[in-house]
Amino acid sequence: QVQLVESGGGYVETGGSLTLSCTISPSGSITELDAMGWYRVPPGGQQELVARITSTGATFYGDSVKGRFTISRDNAKNIGYLQMNNLIPADTAVYKCHKYRGNFWGQGIQVTVSS
């Protein structure tokens, strides 16, 4: 069974940075054929796409994070990343990673940005 586990979340002040990681197991579960994404659920809100990286390496970002967040992945290490810079309180949410092929989701990790 494929499992995705997020790490790197936490509490940060406005303007700070965090890097989320999504570790995928078992080894080999993600290949160059896979697209991956990061989604978030803000307090009292609905799930929204944060960023997505396709099998060709093309990237897409939600309008609210463009220019601040960067998605990447290391297939050899079975890890996906979300680098988040210039964080603002509106970025406060539970962040989840997603592997599109097979529709696998992580449990989610909290990111809190103080004002």
Side-chain angles (χ1 to χ4, degrees), residues 39-88:
Y39 291 75
R40 68 186 183 186
V41 184
Q46 294 186 337
Q47 182 166 285
E48 61 180 2
L49 173 68
V50 176
R52 183 173 71 241
I53 183 166
T54 72
S55 58
T56 60
T59 56
F60 300 91
Y61 296 93
D63 288 341
S64 62
V65 306
K66 284 180 182 177
R68 300 188 298 122
F69 289 13
T70 302
I71 188 172
S72 62
R73 67 182 186 207
D74 187 331
N75 292 339
K77 295 182 179 179
N78 290 279
I79 300 178
Y81 301 98
L82 183 68
Q83 173 68 42
M84 305 185 294
N85 298 325
N86 296 319
L87 285 160
I88 59 176

Side-chain angles (χ1 to χ4, degrees), residues 3 15 20 49 91:
Q3 291 188 324
L20 302 183
L49 173 68
D91 295 320

